[in-house]
Amino acid sequence: MEKWELIAPCHFGLEAVLKREIQDLGYEISRVEDGKVTFWGDAQAVAYGNVFLRTTERILLKVAEFSAETFEELFQGTKEIPWENYIPKDGKFWVTKVNSIKSKLFSPSDIQSIMKKAMVERLKEYYGVSWFEEDGASYPLRVTLMKDVVTVGLDTSGVSLHKRGYRQMTAKAPITETLAAALLMLTPWKKDRILVDPFCGSGTFPIEAAMMAANMAPGRNRSFLAEEWKNLIPRKCWYEAMTEADDLVDRKVQTDIQGYDIDPGVLKAARENARLAEVEGMIHFQQRPVKELRHPKKYGFIVTNPPYGERLEDKEALPQLYREIGESFRALDSWSMYLITSYEDAERYIGRKADKNRKIYNGMLRTYLYQYLGPKPPRRN
């Protein structure tokens, strides 16, 4: 099979987690940059990346990279790309997203229209037609301009990969599935250890943890845009990826994963989301405030996304809330806590400086992952 460069975007600050995931799948990394990891792979890698990677937003097939400081250079650079190798005569093609950073060309709408025009010119000459019906499979492009270097990728995923298919109901200010998975991977938590999220909302942390524990691939219950690209990716690639994903599921795994919240409405949503993710039997959801967080066992983990105080009226309640987080954590013997928040006084009111913290961008919001590290459990004979 032909080898391509594939681009996997991710949250800023979590590139190392995604890099490790890609390497664990057996693929060679070509580049790691802010917010993305590029790797080498064939048609099979497109299917496996979409089905198995937990921390990327999508898989892009990189078709070209060139410099352009003027619209004429952009037109000519786009026209030189051998689009006939990717887009069939009946293909529907357009530039769906443009990001321009530190580049002379910065208008997304102008970049989109010029690149579309250049693609049409190239394909008209190749296919010998004057008009494209565009009634076949979709081939959307995502384009990044960084310091006048244009990177062009075909989007193989379609709907973002954070949409696993299980989260039909969401709570206020939810954390995305890809971010939750990446944060869990930053902890030493393993499926035989206790995990509690005292602000579970619609259940994303507990559900992602349960899916990891049961070895459930995140993409096994959804479809992908490139499944229609029969000219590029044989159907058997998708069948093999999905068959392997189903074969790897361990439904007998024993876990102690718990999700608490004070809102009965969001807990109802969490239970339904867990059912849709096929992990409802692995998670215990309960209506309980954080000040009542107790557990008799040792060496557990708190992994949570507490309120940030997005609204002014909510901000006034944050000092007391974070005090209660600190008090509950101190009462848990030998536990660890991983807490992501944009609240700048989090450590002050928790009452202890974090052992480590890590800056992570949740969309455009700068947040910190505060890491309070408990002792390791004794080795078992």
Side-chain angles (χ1 to χ4, degrees):
M1 284 189 190
E2 182 183 352
K3 270 206 170 183
W4 297 309
E5 262 195 297
L6 303 172
I7 302 169
C10 64
H11 286 273
F12 283 89
L14 294 171
E15 297 83 4
V17 180
L18 175 56
K19 177 186 175 183
R20 188 169 69 240
E21 259 206 295
I22 293 167
Q23 288 174 325
D24 287 347
L25 273 184
Y27 299 113
E28 179 191 349
I29 304 294
S30 64
R31 203 187 310 177
V32 178
E33 302 165 86
D34 285 346
K36 65 180 178 182
V37 179
T38 307
F39 64 103
W40 293 102
D42 54 14
Q44 188 74 69
V46 172
Y48 271 66
N50 275 296
V51 172
F52 285 99
L53 292 176
R54 297 184 190 278
T55 62
T56 185
E57 297 301 312
R58 58 187 69 249
I59 302 294
L60 305 175
L61 194 169
K62 182 177 170 182
V63 296
E65 194 167 88
F66 60 91
S67 296
E69 297 184 8
T70 67
F71 285 124
E72 178 60 24
E73 288 175 347
L74 179 67
F75 181 90
Q76 294 301 333
T78 304
K79 192 178 176 185
E80 285 174 15
I81 298 168
W83 292 109
E84 62 276 6
N85 293 348
Y86 304 100
I87 300 171
K89 194 174 179 179
D90 65 347
K92 181 181 180 183
F93 55 96
W94 72 101
V95 179
T96 185
K97 183 80 185 264
V98 174
N99 282 323
S100 180
I101 303 158
K102 299 178 182 176
S103 297
K104 295 178 180 65
L105 303 178
F106 55 83
S107 165
S109 58
D110 289 336
I111 292 165
Q112 286 169 311
S113 62
I114 284 165
M115 291 186 74
K116 170 78 176 190
K117 192 182 293 184
M119 293 169 72
V120 168
E121 287 297 311
R122 168 90 185 201
L123 291 172
K124 271 166 61 175
E125 290 172 13
Y126 182 83
Y127 289 119
V129 297
S130 58
W131 177 259
F132 291 97
E133 294 291 340
E134 298 195 47
D135 56 359
S138 294
Y139 295 80
L141 290 165
R142 288 182 171 252
V143 178
T144 302
L145 284 79
M146 170 63 83
K147 296 180 180 178
D148 302 317
V149 174
V150 184
T151 304
V152 187
L154 280 170
D155 180 9
T156 73
S157 304
V159 175
S160 174
L161 295 180
H162 80 264
K163 297 194 175 179
R164 318 286 206 215
Y166 67 75
R167 202 163 75 175
Q168 303 298 312
M169 306 173 75
T170 60
K172 185 175 66 174
I175 194 166
T176 67
E177 295 88 327
T178 46
L179 179 55
L183 296 178
L184 285 164
M185 288 180 182
L186 281 174
T187 78
W189 175 77
K190 296 287 185 287
K191 60 189 176 186
D192 61 344
R193 305 276 294 274
I194 308 149
L195 179 77
V196 177
D197 179 358
F199 300 94
C200 72
S202 53
T204 310
F205 271 130
I207 291 169
E208 288 294 319
M211 289 174 66
M212 288 180 194
N215 212 12
M216 291 180 174
R220 57 186 282 274
N221 285 330
R222 55 159 288 171
S223 59
F224 308 96
L225 192 66
E227 288 180 66
E228 303 302 316
W229 297 1
K230 297 178 180 65
N231 60 318
L232 292 175
I233 302 167
R235 290 293 300 169
K236 75 180 184 84
C237 293
W238 299 103
Y239 291 137
E240 287 173 6
M242 288 297 189
T243 300
E244 185 168 334
D246 285 337
D247 289 346
L248 288 171
V249 175
D250 177 8
R251 298 191 184 276
K252 295 179 181 177
V253 66
Q254 297 295 309
T255 62
D256 188 348
I257 299 171
Q258 303 178 25
Y260 305 147
D261 207 284
I262 57 170
D263 185 339
V266 300
L267 285 171
K268 183 181 177 183
R271 291 187 181 101
E272 175 61 11
N273 291 340
R275 185 189 69 79
L276 292 169
E278 301 173 24
V279 295
E280 70 269 36
M282 299 170 61
I283 306 168
H284 173 66
F285 289 110
Q286 187 177 17
Q287 186 177 352
R288 187 192 289 195
V290 69
K291 66 184 177 184
E292 293 178 15
L293 172 56
R294 302 286 183 271
H295 204 292
K297 293 181 184 176
K298 299 174 73 169
Y299 307 111
F301 285 83
I302 296 171
V303 182
T304 194
N305 173 42
Y308 303 166
E310 296 88 352
R311 297 180 304 182
L312 197 59
E313 59 267 33
D314 295 337
K315 254 191 165 48
E316 295 171 3
L318 292 184
Q320 181 59 25
L321 183 69
Y322 280 77
R323 277 193 203 99
E324 290 172 358
I325 293 171
E327 287 164 7
S328 291
F329 176 55
R330 281 191 291 279
L332 290 165
D333 181 30
S334 70
W335 279 48
S336 301
M337 179 166 69
Y338 293 78
L339 179 147
I340 183 170
T341 181
S342 65
Y343 183 46
E344 294 177 356
D345 289 327
E347 289 173 301
R348 175 185 168 194
Y349 290 110
I350 286 170
R352 176 181 152 191
K353 188 172 173 59
D355 298 300
K356 294 181 182 177
N357 74 51
R358 188 181 187 118
K359 182 163 58 175
I360 293 163
Y361 280 88
N362 185 1
M364 296 306 291
L365 183 67
R366 184 175 64 185
T367 63
Y368 290 90
L369 178 66
Y370 295 102
Q371 303 168 57
Y372 295 88
L373 311 178
K376 292 180 181 178
R379 283 177 179 266
R380 292 175 183 166
N381 292 330

